[in-house]
Amino acid sequence: MSARQKYRLLTSVIVPRPIGWLSTRSAAGVSNLAPFSYFGAFASDPMLIGASIGSRGDEPKDSLTNIRDTGVFCANMVTERHLEVMNQTAGDYPAAVSEFEAAGVPEGQATEIDAPFVADCPVVLECRLFKEVDLGGASTTLVIGEVLAVRLGAETEELWDDDFLDVSSLKPVGRLWAGNYSLVDNIQRADRPRIDRDTGEEL
Ligand SMILES: Cc1cc2nc3c(=O)[nH]c(=O)nc-3n(C[C@H](O)[C@H](O)[C@H](O)COP(=O)(O)O)c2cc1C
């Protein structure tokens, strides 16, 4: 398969993917915002999340350059109201242009780390770079971040009672293939079996 065929097949097989809308700041002080759907959660204690960032030609994408330079980033979680503007920030803007300004996204300043975040985003994870992994091939790099703070917007705090967050009210967006996205409107429940490890019998 060609690289294009592999990309197209894999991104229509592993679906839906959450979107990490990463906000960073360059060494020159320019705020940057871009979405990544090779994105996931890997551990809870410590909380580790990661995004895989490809290259632009022979150059690293601005998000990766900034994470390398500053050692920090915010992952803004994409919900329905931000779908269009998130897509806008994926444009090939020069490093000197802030996608916050280009796409009209309100910007806040994180408290645990020195990075910008999407001010009206319901959930933002403030992360410190934990590990960078070279994924080889076409210069793809996995950045794993340790979540130092979780910011919940005022409305989102009401969806959280120190337990699971109310996901149907949060309205997260998942990426399918190309410009296709999934919304959460039909949650199916399946309780896990409780098996006695000694007998193999269901409890
Ligand atoms: C929904 C969505 C998901 C994306 N996922 C990725 C990804 O996982 N990895 C990647 O390298 N680019 C991904 N892109 C493309 C980047 O967002 C795009 O190249 C962006 O311009 C990078 O910006 P930067 O140079 O400011 O870091 C995605 C684009 C969209 C719209």
Side-chain angles (χ1 to χ4, degrees):
M1 286 189 281
S2 66
R4 181 189 165 98
Q5 283 174 313
K6 289 178 194 171
Y7 169 78
R8 291 192 161 191
L9 184 56
L10 195 63
T11 55
S12 38
V13 168
I14 309 290
V15 285
R17 296 182 304 286
I19 302 168
W21 199 15
L22 302 193
S23 50
T24 54
R25 186 170 289 124
S26 74
V30 180
S31 298
N32 194 90
L33 182 61
F36 295 89
S37 65
Y38 277 162
F39 175 80
F42 304 122
S44 319
D45 191 17
M47 286 195 256
L48 296 177
I49 61 153
S52 144
I53 306 181
S55 50
R56 184 181 282 113
D58 293 335
E59 300 284 315
K61 293 189 180 180
D62 298 336
S63 302
L64 179 59
T65 302
N66 296 351
I67 293 168
R68 284 176 170 159
D69 286 347
T70 62
V72 292
F73 63 91
C74 286
N76 304 270
M77 304 315 299
V78 178
T79 60
E80 282 182 36
R81 73 183 140 116
H82 283 123
L83 176 50
E84 293 294 334
V85 74
M86 171 279 298
N87 193 39
Q88 189 84 24
T89 63
D92 271 334
Y93 296 99
V97 171
S98 165
E99 290 84 359
F100 280 96
E101 284 176 25
V105 178
E107 181 177 338
Q109 169 60 43
T111 45
E112 292 299 311
I113 60 171
D114 184 11
F117 71 93
V118 176
D120 60 350
C121 191
V123 184
V124 180
L125 310 177
E126 297 189 19
C127 302
R128 175 172 61 204
L129 181 62
F130 176 82
K131 194 166 277 188
E132 179 182 320
V133 184
D134 179 359
L135 300 182
S139 301
T140 305
T141 303
L142 174 65
V143 289
I144 300 175
E146 178 174 355
V147 180
L148 301 185
V150 179
R151 309 183 69 89
L152 299 182
E155 290 165 32
T156 318
E157 251 180 285
E158 289 172 22
L159 307 179
W160 189 57
D161 57 2
D162 285 337
D163 199 28
F164 292 109
L165 213 129
D166 173 0
V167 171
S168 48
S169 302
L170 186 66
K171 300 189 180 304
V173 169
R175 184 161 190 215
L176 299 171
W177 73 100
N180 299 289
Y181 296 88
S182 64
L183 308 176
V184 174
D185 65 359
N186 183 357
I187 296 178
Q188 304 280 317
R189 187 176 173 124
D191 290 319
R192 276 206 296 202
R194 292 177 59 236
I195 304 294
D196 184 324
R197 282 267 292 169
D198 293 326
T199 64
E201 301 286 316
E202 194 149 347
L203 292 169

